[in-house]
Amino acid sequence: MIVNTELEQKGNQFPSAINSFVKEKDKFLITTENDVLLQITVVRDSVLRFRYAPNGSFPKDFSYAISEDAVRGYNHLEYSEEKDRYIIKTSKLQLHLNKANLQKTIYDIDGKLINQDEAGFHWEYSYEHGSDIVKMSKAEQKMECYYGLGDKPMHFNLKGKRVENWVTDQYAFGKDQDPLYKAIPFYIGLHSDISYGIFFDNTFRTFFDFGDERRSVMSYWAQGGEMNYYFIYGPEMNQVVTNYTDLTGKPELPPLWALGYHQSKWSYYPESNVREIAQKFRDLKIPCDAIYLDIDYMDEFRCFTWNKEYFPDPKGMVDDLTEQGFQTVAIIDPGIKIDKDYDIYREALEKDYFCKRADGPLMRGKVWPGECNFPDFTNPEVRAWWSGLYKELIEDIGVKGVWNDMNEPAVMEVPTKTFPLDVRHNYDGNPCSHSKAHNIYGMQMAKATYEGVKQFVYPKRPFIITRAAYAGTQRYSSSWTGDNVASWEHLWIANQQVQRMAISGMSFIGTDIGGFAEQPTGELFVRWIQLGIFHPFCRTHSSGDHGDQEPWAFDENVTNIVRKFIELRYKMLPYLYTAFYQYVEEGTPMVQPLVLFDQKDHQTYYRTDEFMFGKQILVCPILEPNSKGRRMYIPRGKWYNYWTHDVVQGGKEVWVDADIDSIPLFVKEGAIIPKYPVQQYVGEKEIEEVELEVYYKEGKEKSVLYEDANDGYDYKKGRFSYRTFKLTGHKNQLIIQQHKEGSYVTPYTKFKLDLKRLPFEIKTIEVDNQETSLSKLKVNGNTSLEVDKNFTELHLIGK
Ligand code: GLC
């Protein structure tokens, strides 16, 4: 039977008619006359998994992406047979399966079309790859838009584009360049106000085509492996992302210092230079929590060694830095220098831990140390060994975080920039070639690092940052977007990449602020800092070839503006930490593109620049030189300009002033934003008072505040403090109700409420039904009020 002549002529094969349909618990097994096997698993009411085998049998089921903790189970499942189709129904979805050709159509429970196969599953034998290229094609729905897919440096809406997932070291990449450092084969579709996602859990080189090759057809395929994908229904885009994140795993909370400002360069050395940089931050009173040691701290780039000439006493230095409130983060790359006098090399060699070519010799390639061999991180025994290597660095020397780089794996001076495809991998007991293991190599290195650091830094929390990633890497590590460039275009790219990564399950992400390659002007650096403080991971890093990139490297005006914005980050730490908690608990992205924030507003579909930082703050970076402001889109609803407190009605584009010392910033009406006092580093001060900025609204809005000991695991035993504030505003009344959960006792005793644009003059204050004196009230421009942190209801009544 010919399903699609065009595809058939190109050598594709298709399933024929269904000849058996069997239900086994949560699975359906369907076979066709030409021996195609389809397995449908009902993972949740809104999540279906599809596996296809062209030749009637599946290989062992194994995935690095899917989390063991993923929620499984459904409320309702039924199926029926009609003349031409089978129908599977959950409480959220209905799947129609065409008996003649195995094509699928998915509807919501009310019969609204969500997603439909075009040719559906098909495949083509590839002589070159020695396997089938497994393919899926879908009909593009009217006005359908596409989002997601990790770190693609292109327009936020992927409609009309084709992208490739192959983890690649892409120094000084350009706009639209593809592929880059991450492979996250997950996209989100949106049409008719309905959103769904597809996660193609295949680690081979994969491609996604959003109407580029054939108009009105969306397709994806892999150069090997299985057609194995998850269909995730929303209808809200946020539900798609939270469900995807649940499936591929959520991280644990990082230590709070990891959300502070970090300073890095390739490289700070010798020791005196590191100390100088640290001291300068304190002298200039620019908050900073971490300082990075790039490859030059090592002895000829041998991992887990120190250059004793530059760093004669690593522990002494790290201790002193800790004393000054700096955490030290050190880089570790995968390449192990071929050197018989290097104990780690000898040990890995003796224990047979290195990757090998198909015919037996060790995989050998050039990286920073020169010729190297590479541990096979897909072997659990190798990972355990690698974890153990961190003992000295973390437990003895006191380094607090580890930076994994070059783990694509990158190889220098070869055209493919990586291993040859014949290299063998253990793949957790499923031996395979590099074609299959390439995209998860870096992820497995990050996993081994995470497990080691976690063990040796205990009872504190680990902090890992990785460059390469596959879907699910968020369980182990934060990440940055690799070797960008100090250009205005890259500032735009930075914004796209962070938003895209956040909706691809990896919220703990940032860019090299100021650009890695080349030198930013002071103005560009300022604009990048203004964006970077709203990214979950906030680090300045540069190649160091073109001059310095510390906050004081430009002029005094730059230093002052940079200080102002880093201070703002520190004030907003409780808000950011709360967003992290929501990410950990619910899978909610910490940065939200406008289309996710309000998908019913079609104006948001092609927006790129504006985004939500957490759930209540709207940010729009200035992306051009010599700007005094910019036009931007304000989403529906009412918003307060953060700087002027003027209220704007959204749903339209407006001009916003933002001279060099400002960035367009808005707060959602009704929000209560918690703020800490400025600290030079997390834990410098005991927090005595938390400020709550209250943005009056006539109506209701809910805000939350999560806090704990900022490190350690007590929070898992319930020692956290989770406050919910419900604001209800009337013409001359404002009510704030507080509900508290968790047993952590915060060190502060009171809140200072900063009431923005209260439309009435306060006559009476009632705290928990008791009238209180007006003496706690201050009115000078703004109205502020001190209240006990444990109030349950605050009632402000106007004259
Ligand atoms: C890579 C990294 C960069 C690092 C450099 C030296 O280019 O992406 O961040 O500074 O290697 O280690």
Side-chain angles (χ1 to χ4, degrees):
M1 198 197 93
I2 297 172
V3 179
N4 181 313
T5 328
E6 195 191 333
L7 291 178
E8 169 118 356
Q9 276 163 2
K10 287 184 180 155
N12 290 287
Q13 289 176 269
F14 303 87
S16 57
I18 293 177
N19 62 6
S20 91
F21 180 100
V22 181
K23 178 177 183 283
E24 281 176 11
K25 290 185 188 148
D26 59 344
K27 292 187 175 52
F28 295 87
L29 280 171
I30 300 121
T31 54
T32 66
E33 279 159 6
N34 65 347
D35 213 18
V36 172
L37 179 56
L38 164 63
Q39 184 192 67
I40 301 170
T41 309
V42 181
V43 183
R44 300 176 73 162
D45 287 288
S46 53
V47 181
L48 304 177
R49 178 183 179 197
F50 298 94
R51 285 179 87 187
Y52 290 84
N55 52 7
S57 76
F58 292 118
K60 188 173 135 197
D61 194 14
F62 176 79
S63 167
Y64 281 118
I66 304 297
S67 161
E68 286 173 8
D69 302 326
V71 176
R72 290 176 177 86
Y74 45 83
N75 295 312
H76 179 79
L77 180 60
E78 65 178 54
Y79 71 98
S80 56
E81 185 177 353
E82 289 180 7
K83 196 165 155 269
D84 58 344
R85 72 189 82 180
Y86 290 99
I87 299 173
I88 297 172
K89 265 192 191 175
T90 71
S91 70
K92 301 245 169 85
L93 293 174
Q94 13 176 343
L95 166 72
H96 292 212
L97 197 61
N98 187 326
K99 283 183 177 172
N101 54 20
L102 208 60
Q103 287 177 0
K104 320 181 292 302
T105 308
I106 302 179
Y107 303 90
D108 72 6
I109 210 65
D110 303 321
K112 239 174 143 185
L113 176 68
I114 312 169
N115 187 256
Q116 186 180 25
D117 283 355
E118 184 250 349
F121 175 59
H122 53 292
W123 69 98
E124 177 195 353
Y125 179 72
S126 161
Y127 181 73
E128 183 198 342
H129 301 298
S131 64
D132 286 321
I133 298 179
V134 289
K135 309 177 188 183
M136 177 61 61
S137 65
K138 304 266 179 192
E140 186 177 294
Q141 302 305 313
K142 196 167 165 231
M143 310 259 289
E144 184 158 7
C145 293
Y146 303 99
Y147 307 93
L149 280 152
D151 63 348
K152 308 296 175 204
M154 49 191 73
H155 193 289
F156 197 67
N157 187 337
L158 295 168
K159 195 182 179 92
K161 298 199 189 300
R162 173 193 286 204
V163 298
E164 177 181 342
N165 297 305
W166 183 255
V167 174
T168 306
D169 172 12
Q170 207 62 269
Y171 171 79
F173 56 91
K175 181 165 182 269
D176 291 325
Q177 190 164 351
D178 183 45
L180 301 186
Y181 304 87
K182 324 275 192 280
I184 307 188
F186 164 65
Y187 81 89
I188 302 165
L190 172 65
H191 64 86
S192 336
D193 297 344
I194 302 181
S195 184
Y196 69 91
I198 283 184
F199 171 44
F200 182 21
D201 188 10
N202 180 312
T203 62
F204 285 79
R205 192 189 292 263
T206 52
F207 295 83
F208 285 72
D209 187 298
F210 301 101
D212 176 49
E213 185 179 321
R214 289 192 289 148
R215 273 192 62 178
S216 307
V217 178
M218 184 279 143
S219 59
Y220 46 96
W221 62 97
Q223 291 180 348
E226 259 186 78
M227 176 47 64
N228 167 27
Y229 77 92
Y230 293 80
F231 176 85
I232 305 166
Y233 172 60
E236 302 297 324
M237 197 184 283
N238 191 44
Q239 293 170 313
V240 176
V241 175
T242 54
N243 264 325
Y244 164 78
T245 310
D246 183 76
L247 198 61
T248 56
K250 298 162 193 160
E252 294 182 311
L253 278 171
L256 186 60
W257 65 261
L259 299 185
Y261 174 73
H262 295 191
Q263 182 71 39
S264 180
K265 177 181 137 168
W266 177 16
S267 301
Y268 290 128
Y269 72 90
E271 179 184 318
S272 59
N273 182 229
V274 180
R275 288 179 183 273
E276 221 175 279
I277 298 291
Q279 192 53 49
K280 193 95 186 200
F281 272 100
R282 297 300 178 242
D283 290 347
L284 292 175
K285 295 220 169 314
I286 300 171
C288 182
D289 261 280
I291 196 147
Y292 283 59
L293 299 178
D294 204 330
I295 50 175
D296 295 286
Y297 81 88
M298 300 180 210
D299 175 20
E300 292 180 350
F301 311 128
R302 290 176 186 85
C303 293
F304 304 101
T305 67
W306 288 81
N307 179 321
K308 284 293 165 79
E309 196 190 314
Y310 297 153
F311 297 93
D313 176 18
K315 184 171 163 51
M317 178 188 74
V318 171
D319 283 350
D320 290 349
L321 288 171
T322 312
E323 191 73 17
Q324 283 179 284
F326 287 95
Q327 314 294 334
T328 308
V329 179
I331 196 167
I332 290 286
D333 288 351
I336 298 295
K337 189 178 172 69
I338 300 180
D339 172 1
K340 290 263 155 70
D341 297 327
Y342 170 28
D343 53 350
I344 289 176
Y345 177 75
R346 278 200 318 268
E347 189 186 352
L349 193 65
E350 273 159 29
K351 295 189 169 153
D352 200 17
Y353 286 164
F354 289 128
C355 294
K356 289 190 187 129
R357 303 293 300 264
D359 292 330
L362 296 181
M363 160 61 210
R364 189 183 162 128
K366 213 172 151 195
V367 217
W368 305 122
E371 291 292 329
C372 286
N373 293 139
F374 300 83
D376 183 11
F377 295 108
T378 73
N379 179 343
E381 195 183 324
V382 175
R383 286 200 299 271
W385 165 72
W386 188 259
S387 299
L389 295 177
Y390 286 102
K391 185 173 193 303
E392 185 181 287
L393 199 60
I394 307 295
E395 198 177 276
D396 305 344
I397 296 174
V399 166
K400 288 288 182 321
V402 173
W403 172 18
N404 280 170
D405 187 26
M406 307 296 276
N407 50 350
E408 289 69 30
V411 177
M412 292 167 172
E413 297 170 16
V414 294
T416 63
K417 303 182 179 197
T418 194
F419 292 4
L421 299 181
D422 70 87
V423 168
R424 303 295 299 166
H425 293 274
N426 175 289
Y427 213 92
D428 279 69
N430 307 278
C432 68
S433 79
H434 196 64
S435 297
K436 182 173 177 177
H438 175 82
N439 279 340
I440 53 85
Y441 183 87
M443 175 197 198
Q444 293 312 300
M445 178 190 188
K447 180 181 187 204
T449 299
Y450 162 76
E451 278 160 4
V453 177
K454 184 171 175 162
Q455 179 187 348
F456 298 119
V457 86
Y458 189 85
K460 305 254 187 229
R461 303 176 196 162
F463 170 69
I464 316 298
I465 166 166
T466 177
R467 195 171 69 175
Y470 179 71
T473 306
Q474 68 271 10
R475 304 202 290 275
Y476 317 118
S477 183
S478 68
S479 189
W480 89 108
T481 56
D483 295 342
N484 59 3
V485 184
S487 71
W488 290 92
E489 184 172 75
H490 260 273
L491 184 55
W492 179 87
I493 295 175
N495 186 15
Q496 305 312 298
Q497 288 185 301
V498 168
Q499 293 185 56
R500 202 187 291 291
M501 287 294 288
I503 61 165
S504 306
M506 288 190 72
S507 274
F508 200 5
I509 176 88
T511 65
D512 282 354
I513 294 176
F516 177 74
E518 297 174 28
Q519 178 71 359
T521 58
E523 185 190 9
L524 177 59
F525 186 69
V526 162
R527 293 306 194 185
W528 211 314
I529 281 278
Q530 288 170 349
L531 172 64
I533 63 152
F534 297 106
H535 286 164
F537 178 60
C538 179
R539 178 185 78 159
T540 295
H541 179 56
S542 73
S543 67
D545 299 348
H546 310 272
D548 295 334
Q549 215 156 294
E550 292 79 30
W552 52 85
F554 304 90
D555 61 41
E556 211 183 314
N557 193 33
V558 169
T559 311
N560 291 335
I561 301 171
V562 168
R563 180 192 298 106
K564 165 177 160 181
F565 281 89
I566 296 182
E567 284 181 348
L568 179 59
R569 169 125 179 150
Y570 277 74
K571 288 187 204 161
M572 288 194 176
L573 277 177
Y575 176 81
L576 177 61
Y577 197 45
T578 301
F580 213 118
Y581 179 74
Q582 291 168 332
Y583 172 44
V584 166
E585 284 296 302
E586 304 153 12
T588 315
M590 294 171 70
V591 159
Q592 309 195 343
L594 284 203
V595 62
L596 182 138
F597 180 71
D598 187 1
Q599 74 188 42
K600 293 217 165 67
D601 175 5
H602 298 195
Q603 300 287 331
T604 63
Y605 286 13
Y606 283 89
R607 299 307 305 186
T608 51
D609 298 358
E610 307 84 356
F611 66 91
M612 296 297 299
F613 168 62
K615 291 184 179 176
Q616 292 169 319
I617 296 179
L618 171 69
V619 184
C620 186
I622 296 288
L623 301 171
E624 282 173 22
N626 304 313
S627 300
K628 299 273 174 224
R630 63 166 290 164
R631 286 190 72 76
M632 66 176 279
Y633 183 72
I634 311 273
R636 299 186 299 179
K638 278 188 185 163
W639 301 80
Y640 282 75
N641 180 314
Y642 177 81
W643 308 105
T644 63
H645 306 148
D646 289 343
V647 178
V648 213
Q649 177 65 52
K652 58 174 187 265
E653 263 201 29
V654 297
W655 168 269
V656 182
D657 288 333
D659 219 328
I660 187 69
D661 62 347
S662 186
I663 177 176
L665 201 58
F666 292 84
V667 181
K668 197 175 170 203
E669 178 194 44
I672 296 184
I673 308 289
K675 278 184 164 175
Y676 282 169
V678 172
Q679 305 177 75
Q680 295 308 303
Y681 55 92
V682 166
E684 185 203 18
K685 295 180 185 156
E686 174 144 305
I687 310 294
E688 285 171 357
E689 186 178 77
V690 169
E691 192 175 307
L692 297 179
E693 287 182 350
V694 180
Y695 292 86
Y696 171 85
K697 172 184 187 175
E698 198 180 326
K700 290 180 187 224
E701 172 80 11
K702 196 180 101 176
S703 303
V704 289
L705 168 59
Y706 172 85
E707 292 165 290
D708 63 18
N710 300 336
D711 209 333
Y713 295 95
D714 276 1
Y715 78 97
K716 293 202 167 182
K717 297 180 209 134
R719 255 163 265 150
F720 59 82
S721 151
Y722 187 75
R723 299 169 190 273
T724 308
F725 301 107
K726 279 191 191 150
L727 176 144
T728 311
H730 301 286
K731 284 227 156 48
N732 78 335
Q733 266 188 55
L734 182 69
I735 302 160
I736 301 174
Q737 290 161 309
Q738 181 182 203
H739 172 76
K740 196 184 162 261
E741 282 168 59
S743 62
Y744 178 69
V745 181
T746 53
Y748 58 89
T749 54
K750 47 190 193 269
F751 287 125
K752 184 175 156 226
L753 267 56
D754 185 358
L755 302 151
K756 307 285 185 200
R757 296 270 165 127
L758 204 60
F760 54 86
E761 209 181 305
I762 297 173
K763 191 182 79 189
T764 319
I765 304 172
E766 280 175 16
V767 180
D768 299 340
N769 294 321
Q770 294 279 311
E771 200 172 318
T772 17
S773 109
L774 292 179
S775 67
K776 296 251 167 73
L777 192 68
K778 281 188 204 120
V779 188
N780 47 10
N782 261 329
T783 312
S784 72
L785 172 68
E786 278 185 356
V787 281
D788 185 280
K789 68 172 178 182
N790 289 325
F791 77 89
T792 49
E793 184 162 324
L794 177 72
H795 208 145
L796 306 177
I797 303 153
K799 283 185 180 152

